[in-house]
Amino acid sequence: MELIDGEIRCETEAMSKCWAAPLQNCAGKISREHVISRGTFADDEMLVQGFDWCRDARAKISLSGLTRKILCVKHNSDLSTADDAGIRAVEEFRELVRLGMARSNAKPRQWRLVRSTIDGFELERWFLKTLINVAFRREYPIGKPIQPEWRPSRELVEIAFGLRRFQPRAGLYLIGGETGDNVNPSEKLQILTFTDSDQKLLGARFLFFGFTFLIYLEVAGPKRYVQFLNADGRATPGRNLIYHPRAINFTLPKSRRQKPNDQRLSHVLLIGWGGKK
């Protein structure tokens, strides 16, 4: 009987603290989940604020050490495919940025066009999983405990586990720039959640190797012209929102003069959205 009681207590704890509890198949104790998938930016450090141990000031931490007890053992294991997708995406971006840096430092020439491909739905899943890891059981607006803790709906959980997909207009966007815009590859990863005027969580922006991706949770999708309010109170426009982007083009100047419109295609990251769920 004691063993049964222990199993019941373990299951109850998992159901209350695991963000995948809406699937109703929690198993095992609550385990530590890496907020950012282990193996993506494992050698990097980031500044964080808002966690229990750094609410009032920023703290520097290794991404590999940034964990939260938010998933049961079963669901932590089941999400390994999403982690693998994140690792593959980071590796592709890292290689393409490396290639761009090497070519930009060389004498301009007619480069051989390089193409690589990643799965768009898997990338979308990884961004959503990371957003849930960050936002789960947080109050919105942050710092006001009278607000209910945020928990993902069953639909969002099923999307994160690859059991279904976002409805059109919700999901992954790329905030595009203009031809010739510079990308700062040193900006490896920033995550900025955002809310509507009623403080309802709408999604997050991911600054990812200098590119800005957006996960939008509402089915209606974002407005054509949106602005994001930064922590310093300044507004950042979200221009040129591209839903389910098909490709990201990397261009280089044809000459040392580096005219904005004098660009040549160097390499392309193709993002596949084939197949139906």
Side-chain angles (χ1 to χ4, degrees):
M1 184 65 183
E2 290 182 359
L3 178 60
I4 295 176
D5 286 343
E7 290 178 348
I8 292 174
R9 283 196 296 272
C10 179
E11 181 178 349
T12 302
E13 178 191 31
M15 291 292 286
S16 65
K17 295 183 179 180
C18 174
W19 63 249
L23 298 180
Q24 299 182 334
N25 60 351
C26 288
K29 296 181 179 180
I30 288 296
S31 61
R32 290 193 176 275
E33 159 74 353
H34 286 84
V35 176
I36 312 299
S37 298
R38 189 175 185 179
T40 50
F41 299 90
D43 296 329
D44 297 332
E45 293 182 328
M46 70 180 301
L47 290 173
V48 298
Q49 185 175 353
F51 292 92
D52 296 338
W53 41 269
C54 60
R55 287 194 179 276
D56 300 322
R58 292 185 179 183
K60 183 179 289 187
I61 185 173
S62 167
L63 283 175
S64 61
L66 185 58
T67 62
R68 297 182 67 196
K69 298 180 74 171
I70 52 177
L71 283 170
C72 68
V73 171
K74 170 181 168 50
H75 289 139
N76 202 336
S77 176
D78 289 348
L79 279 170
S80 61
T81 55
D83 293 325
D84 292 342
I87 292 170
R88 287 193 297 270
V90 168
E91 289 174 347
E92 288 292 348
F93 272 89
R94 182 175 286 123
E95 172 57 23
L96 291 174
V97 168
R98 184 206 64 77
L99 179 62
M101 294 286 288
R103 288 184 170 184
S104 64
N105 290 328
K107 183 178 179 180
R109 69 187 75 171
Q110 181 70 51
W111 295 103
R112 178 180 64 86
L113 182 61
V114 175
R115 293 183 177 89
S116 58
T117 304
I118 58 175
D119 187 298
F121 288 115
E122 291 300 306
L123 179 64
E124 187 175 60
R125 277 184 65 204
W126 181 72
F127 279 132
L128 174 62
K129 168 188 175 288
T130 304
L131 166 58
I132 295 174
N133 284 349
V134 169
F136 180 60
R137 299 186 68 180
R138 304 274 179 218
E139 303 92 9
Y140 283 88
I142 294 174
K144 294 188 178 181
I146 61 172
Q147 298 294 323
E149 295 176 340
W150 184 83
R151 293 174 180 266
S153 65
R154 181 184 179 95
E155 180 179 355
L156 289 178
V157 173
E158 289 178 348
I159 295 170
F161 277 79
L163 302 176
R164 65 190 298 171
R165 290 176 178 165
F166 278 109
Q167 296 184 48
R169 298 286 296 163
L172 184 65
Y173 287 78
L174 174 67
I175 302 181
E178 302 296 333
T179 301
D181 279 358
N182 291 323
V183 172
N184 182 358
S186 66
E187 297 177 9
K188 292 192 175 178
L189 181 65
Q190 294 183 46
I191 305 171
L192 304 152
T193 58
F194 61 92
T195 64
D196 63 12
S197 58
D198 296 323
Q199 304 300 336
K200 178 182 179 181
L201 182 66
L202 293 181
R205 284 180 293 155
F206 292 80
L207 278 64
F208 191 73
F209 284 99
F211 296 92
T212 303
F213 288 91
L214 178 77
I215 282 287
Y216 201 87
L217 303 180
E218 295 296 304
V219 176
K223 297 178 180 179
R224 185 175 180 181
Y225 300 103
V226 296
Q227 285 191 330
F228 303 100
L229 191 64
N230 300 322
D232 59 8
R234 293 185 301 173
T236 298
R239 56 190 174 126
N240 196 15
L241 295 179
I242 305 169
Y243 181 63
H244 280 188
R246 300 284 177 173
I248 297 177
N249 296 329
F250 294 75
T251 60
L252 294 173
K254 294 180 181 179
S255 67
R256 294 290 186 185
R257 298 176 182 178
Q258 300 208 8
K259 294 181 180 180
N261 295 322
D262 190 20
Q263 301 283 319
R264 177 181 287 127
L265 188 61
S266 168
H267 41 297
V268 178
L269 177 62
L270 301 172
I271 305 176
W273 300 96
K276 296 182 178 180
K277 198 69 178 179

